[in-house]
Amino acid sequence: MNRPAPEDPRAARTRARLREALLAECAERPLEEVGVAALVRRAGVGRATFYVHYDGLEALAVDACADVVRDAVEALHAWRGRPDPMHAPPTLAEFFASLTPHAALYRSLLAPGGGGPLGRVLHRDLRAYSLRERELAGAADAPLVASAVAATFAGVLADWMHGLLDASAADISDQVWQLLVTLHASR
């Protein structure tokens, strides 16, 4: 069995400092206005160190926002037993509400319709999780439904973040939940 090598603690700390610095910078200005020089100064690392860990600011931003993807996947799968088809699990509404502090950054990485670098990561991770679950359940339509679930959630999330859907966090979570339950039940 091959296990990934444990991560160097120094590298992990450096990446964490860079992620924190980026989030702090983006709290003050849009990602497009953040410069590497200001970012590394705030993180207390050298410019070369930044490029050892990331190809550019977008790669760092996606890494800094990766928790959003994990939180989304967990929120969608936080129920046990038979799901209520009308009301999302509370964790899904909490997830939507939690996006507010860094909404501008998420919007810059998540294009309407679910595209963009963060949208691609969200789609990939959500599809993989959904596919595993469907295959474990023995569903013959596992790849199709997994793709539909990932695309639907990423698209609705992105459109809501960009103001194309007018709904509160609680309302959008129920609405997207109803779509996803329908997708799972349609086959």
Side-chain angles (χ1 to χ4, degrees):
M1 170 163 53
N2 290 340
R3 290 190 177 158
E7 183 176 25
D8 177 354
R10 292 170 299 172
R13 281 192 302 273
T14 299
R15 280 194 293 280
R17 287 178 27 206
L18 287 165
R19 287 189 302 266
E20 289 168 16
L22 179 78
L23 292 174
E25 287 288 321
C26 287
E28 298 170 4
R29 66 189 57 78
L31 177 62
E32 300 77 35
E33 295 177 14
V34 174
V36 173
L39 176 78
V40 297
R41 198 171 27 257
R42 181 171 256 179
V45 301
R47 190 177 188 94
T49 300
F50 169 80
Y51 286 108
V52 164
H53 296 282
Y54 298 101
D55 292 338
L57 286 173
E58 185 177 279
L60 169 58
V62 170
D63 186 36
C65 296
D67 286 342
V68 170
V69 172
R70 284 187 290 278
D71 291 349
V73 172
E74 289 174 16
L76 284 171
H77 297 92
W79 54 275
R80 295 289 173 249
R82 189 162 182 84
D84 178 340
M86 297 306 293
H87 301 288
T91 53
L92 189 56
E94 292 164 10
F95 163 75
F96 277 97
S98 75
L99 300 174
T100 303
H102 300 293
L105 177 59
Y106 301 146
R107 279 191 299 273
S108 70
L109 299 170
L110 186 62
L118 190 58
R120 287 188 293 275
V121 173
L122 176 59
H123 186 276
R124 179 198 68 211
D125 290 2
L126 187 52
R127 185 184 187 283
Y129 193 103
S130 184
L131 182 61
R132 265 192 320 275
E133 282 195 342
R134 301 285 295 174
E135 288 175 342
L136 285 173
D141 60 354
L144 176 67
V145 173
S147 290
V149 164
T152 298
F153 185 79
V156 169
L157 173 63
D159 287 358
W160 181 74
M161 292 292 301
H162 283 277
L164 300 174
L165 299 172
D166 185 25
S168 68
D171 288 342
I172 199 67
S173 66
D174 283 345
Q175 291 166 358
V176 76
W177 181 253
Q178 291 164 16
L179 289 171
L180 299 177
V181 167
T182 301
L183 284 170
H184 277 282
S186 67
R187 299 280 304 197

